[in-house]
Amino acid sequence: MAKTNVWMSVSDLMTGLMVIFLFVAIAYISRVQKNQSVLTDYVETKNELHNKLVKEFEGDTLK
């Protein structure tokens, strides 16, 4: 009977540890997605600016 109680205690500790790691993983994924959206916005803005500059000055270059 004592062995059963020990293993139940260990399994409860492992379950708690798993839940903690789950929350850490969710927080990490959330942060990565936020950084990815910032990077995507930067690239889109840079491309739009480049296209506008090319369109504005396309007649000013010597061909």
Side-chain angles (χ1 to χ4, degrees), residues 41-53:
D41 290 344
Y42 168 75
V43 170
E44 288 175 358
T45 304
K46 186 180 86 163
N47 288 337
E48 287 176 16
L49 180 61
H50 177 263
N51 291 337
K52 287 179 182 179
L53 287 170

Side-chain angles (χ1 to χ4, degrees), residues 32-46:
V32 167
Q33 286 178 343
K34 180 181 172 185
N35 288 344
Q36 183 66 33
S37 68
V38 169
L39 180 62
T40 303
D41 290 344
Y42 168 75
V43 170
E44 288 175 358
T45 304
K46 186 180 86 163

